[in-house]
Amino acid sequence: DTGVSQDPRHKITKRGQNVTFRCDPISEHNRLYWYRQTLGQGPEFLTYFQNEAQLEKSRLLSDRFSAERPKGSFSTLEIQRTEQGDSAMYLCASSRAGEPETQYFGPGTRLLVL
Amino acid sequence: AQSVTQLDSHVSVSEGTPVLLRCNYSSSYSPSLFWYVQHPNKGLQLLLKYTSAATLVKGINGFEAEFKKSETSFHLTKPSAHMSDAAEYFCVLNAGNNRKLIWGLGTSLAVNP
């Protein structure tokens, strides 16, 4: 059990560019969640997957954001045409079928949009 | 409606003294409650959880929390603070649908030498 991993850990980009983040959940965890956290705030739910199915998306997830989990293992979160307001920490978490209420978090990807 | 209120945004204690971080919740369901800790520039780590078993829950690093239904509280305590405990602490409620977590605004714990 190596924990949830995220890549990259840091990303600096210019406004208008596209960025993609990757999350590898704990193996055999069937649920995967994406959150966004801004400075001084708690995490805000973005979306979650059960296996490869995306079951819920927050209103925070505008049409510039898309998430996939094609094989039910790793997931990617893409932000198109980034804006300065997208600057935040993007967190991924996973949970297992037998204990769905307990989520384990990765270290996050910190995005800075210039 | 589901909600979590952390009663203190900042708590400062001296090393070796007790820690108390307060959390109240509101839930229409039988709640699952969690405390997560976040050290600067690091990810969120699960400290402990309550999921309708024993009301006194022991976690990592000497922390524990007691679920009190009559008071709708889930306060986090530690008998003796250590410098390494300085971090942001979040009280979290599972919204009864096993999907979404509802987060408190966090309590920043400072530990003074």
Side-chain angles (χ1 to χ4, degrees), chain A residues 24-88:
Chain A
D24 287 88
I26 294 172
S27 60
E28 298 179 358
H29 277 197
N30 68 332
R31 293 189 179 185
L32 187 149
Y33 310 79
W34 284 100
Y35 293 84
R36 181 172 68 188
Q37 186 179 24
T38 53
L39 202 61
Q41 302 293 320
E44 299 171 296
F45 171 81
L46 293 178
T47 188
Y48 101 101
F49 294 83
Q50 180 161 304
N51 300 313
E52 65 276 10
Q54 188 174 18
L55 296 187
E56 187 171 347
K57 293 195 293 186
S58 163
R59 291 172 298 171
L60 295 173
L61 213 65
S62 76
D63 56 6
R64 296 185 297 106
F65 288 70
S66 62
E68 295 182 344
R69 194 183 184 198
K71 297 182 180 179
S73 57
F74 73 91
S75 175
T76 57
L77 177 68
E78 181 182 16
I79 309 175
Q80 295 181 326
R81 306 180 303 281
T82 53
E83 301 172 355
Q84 287 185 325
D86 297 331
S87 296

Side-chain angles (χ1 to χ4, degrees), chain B residues 5-11 21-24 35 73 75 106-107:
Chain B
T5 303
Q6 291 185 242
L7 299 170
D8 308 289
S9 58
H10 300 280
V11 170
L21 305 183
R22 299 182 295 165
C23 173
N24 287 110
W35 277 98
S73 70
H75 302 333
T107 298

